[in-house]
Amino acid sequence: MPSFTAKASRLPGLLLAVALVGSAPLLTGYDAATGASNTTSAPPATPTVQRIVAQARDTAGSSAQGKFTRTITGNKQTFSGSLRIPLPNAALGLADAASAQNAEILLRTGRQGTAYAECALDFTGVGGKPRAAHYRLDLVKRRGTVQQKTGFCELSVAPVGPGLPQPQARDTLTLVHVAPDGERTFARGAFVKK
């Protein structure tokens, strides 16, 4: 086992040894005055962050703007996003804050023409200049458990049911307003690696 020993010049009586074991070095300290020693492993490497992002582009004259992101950091995954729809909005039939609050806004993800998840966005308020309705989606998955903080997603592939969508690069995103007279697709996008 390769090792290295050095005497610390600022702390007399302190001996520091570093031994490389596997990929995580062990740090051993010894205090000659007290006879105490302590062995700890080096801090783990910073987890790699993977990010997939989609910008929702208006397709129906609604001037809607949205951004949705899937992030993986260690054992934690998130799927989140925000959507802004200017008010009043003739293209979507949203006249004011009350109609925006009651609107059903869905996000659908697909891969090679096959849908695999549908998410309902939550209305979070009206504000800004120009005035706009704001919607959010915020899901977190840790150690296999999904927390649906804002909004809700339903998977249509195994496992079917509530869950966290797993978009990959080139997967599609479609935003839909569900109205009494039918559905209107008003924005589309594609996921890309960032």
Side-chain angles (χ1 to χ4, degrees), residues 8 27 64 73 78 86 97 104 107 112 122 134 160 163 176 186:
L27 302 177
T73 309
T78 62
E104 184 178 355
L107 174 150
Q112 298 176 348
D122 277 356
H134 298 271
V160 174
V176 176
F186 64 91

Side-chain angles (χ1 to χ4, degrees), residues 45-53 68-80 111 116 138-144 164-169 171 191-194:
T46 304
T48 303
V49 176
Q50 298 175 26
R51 195 168 276 122
I52 304 281
V53 177
F68 298 87
T69 306
R70 175 188 176 216
T71 305
I72 303 172
T73 309
N75 65 358
K76 176 183 172 185
Q77 297 181 47
T78 62
F79 186 63
S80 60
R111 184 172 302 140
Y116 60 84
D138 189 11
L139 310 172
V140 177
K141 182 176 183 179
R142 282 190 187 96
R143 296 177 195 91
L164 187 135
Q166 305 287 321
Q168 300 173 1
D171 284 4
F191 286 92
V192 295
K193 286 187 179 179
K194 289 288 184 180

Side-chain angles (χ1 to χ4, degrees), residues 26-103:
L26 292 178
L27 302 177
T28 303
Y30 176 77
D31 186 342
T34 64
S37 66
N38 185 17
T39 301
T40 60
S41 58
T46 304
T48 303
V49 176
Q50 298 175 26
R51 195 168 276 122
I52 304 281
V53 177
Q55 296 283 342
R57 308 255 187 246
D58 175 48
T59 59
S62 68
S63 299
Q65 297 176 356
K67 182 177 179 180
F68 298 87
T69 306
R70 175 188 176 216
T71 305
I72 303 172
T73 309
N75 65 358
K76 176 183 172 185
Q77 297 181 47
T78 62
F79 186 63
S80 60
S82 61
L83 174 67
R84 182 184 172 282
I85 301 175
L87 291 177
N89 200 303
L92 296 178
L94 303 177
D96 53 20
S99 61
Q101 183 174 2
N102 294 319

Side-chain angles (χ1 to χ4, degrees), residues 113-174:
T114 303
Y116 60 84
E118 181 175 275
C119 305
L121 277 66
D122 277 356
F123 173 79
T124 58
V126 172
K129 291 185 180 181
R131 189 171 155 93
H134 298 271
Y135 299 87
R136 288 229 19 102
L137 180 65
D138 189 11
L139 310 172
V140 177
K141 182 176 183 179
R142 282 190 187 96
R143 296 177 195 91
T145 302
V146 176
Q147 297 173 333
Q148 305 204 37
K149 296 182 172 190
T150 307
F152 180 85
C153 287
E154 191 80 23
L155 305 180
S156 57
V157 293
V160 174
L164 187 135
Q166 305 287 321
Q168 300 173 1
R170 294 186 296 280
D171 284 4
T172 59
L173 164 110
T174 305

